[in-house]
Amino acid sequence: MSKRTLALLAAIGATTIYGLNHTVAKGVMPMYVKPFGFIMLRVIGAALLFWSISFFGPKERIEKRDYPRLFLTAVLGMGINMLVFFKGLQLSTPINSSVLVTTTPIIVLLLSAIALKEKISNRKILGITIGLIGAIGLILFGTEIRQDAPNIPLGNFLVLMNSVFYGSYLIVAKTLIKKYHPFTFMKWLFTLGIFLCLPFGYTELLEMDYTNLPTDIILSILFVVVGTTFCTYLFNIFALTQLKASTVSAFVYLQPLIGISYALVTGQDTLTTVKIMAACLVILGVYLASRKPIKKQRASKLSDS
């Protein structure tokens, strides 16, 4: 099997895990672990795993001048981002969250235009507008009465904010990702994440009844910690070594399809007209916003030939 094929499988694997995560994590909260306590398990577990494999990477230190940027990256990516997503998922539904997180490419494009003064074409502006209309429509009108989703509008809003903070994290982290080995970067990022999330998740972490957790719940927690937090990053890194970033990012279109399908199959969520319309608008918006101009596509093909 070629490295390119393995890279494609890795990208598919990461997207699949992300898609399944919405339903798997939702099934654990809040009966067995509350959202902020779940985040503590996630950052502690991932930190231990990344420290373990860091011995196989280069021995390097973070330069002092990079401390402020690393801290800001941790606040956005390991602190606020994770906290609002899991709280939003607890309050909302798996399908809603799997649709809304797909707006991340749109958010990155919008933030890049604001913070980095990058030019945006009319087509991308149209894509941003359509995608945000779908997201806002889901927040305002995607309500339903569910015992396991006590505040869907607020939950949807928090999941959308997750995309905003994650998009900000990607922009701020760009310099550090280029400068340091992934193992070095991630072990320190998750270590900082422990201290950032501790004030919010410490009490909820202690409230867990560890001795009476059912086997399926333990497996679900391991899936989120090992799969969603650890494996997906490694899969994406490997995929990027063999594929173009645009190719890897294209797999974002699969995430809502996988998330919705799994939620329906397991009976954890139901489809409504609003959800279908919102998903179509968001996916169309992401496609228009992330699609390269025809001239650039031709130039890219010529350079590859």
Side-chain angles (χ1 to χ4, degrees):
M1 189 178 294
S2 67
K3 286 187 176 181
R4 178 178 173 79
T5 301
L6 288 174
L8 288 170
L9 291 175
I12 293 173
T15 303
T16 301
I17 292 173
Y18 281 134
L20 299 179
N21 179 65
H22 300 279
T23 299
V24 174
K26 176 72 176 178
V28 178
M29 302 182 295
M31 182 178 295
Y32 298 100
V33 55
K34 294 179 181 177
F36 295 164
F38 207 163
I39 293 300
M40 286 303 304
L41 292 175
R42 188 176 179 180
V43 292
I44 291 171
L48 291 173
L49 289 170
F50 277 112
W51 271 97
S52 297
I53 65 170
S54 67
F55 297 104
F56 298 99
K59 295 181 180 179
E60 55 184 354
R61 293 182 178 181
I62 305 294
E63 295 181 12
K64 288 185 178 180
R65 63 180 179 177
D66 290 328
Y67 286 175
R69 181 177 286 271
L70 180 65
F71 180 76
L72 179 59
T73 303
V75 170
L76 294 171
M78 300 295 114
I80 304 175
N81 164 51
M82 287 190 179
L83 293 171
V84 296
F85 174 73
F86 268 64
K87 186 64 178 179
L89 181 58
Q90 183 217 332
L91 297 174
S92 187
T93 69
I95 287 180
N96 287 346
S97 65
S98 64
V99 170
L100 289 170
V101 295
T102 316
T103 60
T104 298
I106 294 177
I107 299 297
V108 171
L109 186 63
L110 192 57
L111 292 175
S112 296
I114 296 172
L116 305 178
K117 308 299 181 183
E118 293 184 1
K119 293 182 179 180
I120 302 181
S121 65
N122 291 332
R123 176 179 49 76
K124 290 186 176 182
I125 292 175
L126 177 62
I128 291 172
T129 304
I130 292 175
L132 291 180
I133 288 174
I136 293 171
L138 190 58
I139 291 172
L140 296 178
F141 305 108
T143 58
E144 53 191 293
I145 300 175
R146 287 182 52 158
Q147 189 174 359
D148 65 338
N151 195 335
I152 291 178
L154 177 58
N156 289 347
F157 175 74
L158 290 176
V159 173
L160 182 61
M161 286 300 98
N162 156 75
S163 293
V164 173
F165 290 119
Y166 186 71
S168 303
Y169 152 78
L170 291 176
I171 293 174
V172 174
K174 191 173 182 180
T175 303
L176 298 175
I177 291 173
K178 289 182 178 179
K179 188 173 183 179
Y180 298 103
H181 190 275
F183 295 170
T184 303
F185 178 64
M186 295 308 293
K187 74 179 182 182
W188 285 114
L189 204 61
F190 276 101
T191 300
L192 285 173
I194 294 174
F195 295 101
L196 289 170
C197 297
L198 193 61
F200 303 94
Y202 176 73
T203 301
E204 293 185 1
L205 191 65
L206 294 181
E207 288 176 354
M208 288 182 61
D209 187 4
Y210 295 93
T211 57
N212 293 315
L213 287 176
T215 302
D216 62 322
I217 297 301
I218 294 174
L219 293 175
S220 295
I221 292 173
L222 288 175
F223 176 87
V224 174
V225 173
V226 180
T228 309
T229 314
F230 179 72
C231 290
T232 52
Y233 183 83
L234 295 181
F235 287 170
N236 279 326
I237 287 294
F238 175 70
L240 285 169
T241 64
Q242 305 297 323
L243 305 170
K244 292 182 180 180
S246 58
T247 302
V248 176
S249 63
F251 284 91
V252 72
Y253 300 112
L254 290 176
Q255 189 178 149
L257 300 178
I258 294 171
I260 291 171
S261 299
Y262 187 68
L264 294 175
V265 169
T266 56
Q268 296 297 311
D269 206 346
T270 56
L271 270 179
T272 63
T273 302
V274 171
K275 289 178 183 178
I276 294 172
M277 291 178 63
C280 290
L281 288 173
V282 169
I283 292 174
L284 175 60
V286 172
Y287 171 75
L288 291 174
S290 60
R291 183 171 174 266
K292 288 183 178 181
I294 295 176
K295 290 183 179 179
K296 287 188 177 181
Q297 287 182 14
R298 288 175 179 173
S300 177
K301 288 180 180 178
L302 288 172
S303 64
D304 289 343
S305 60

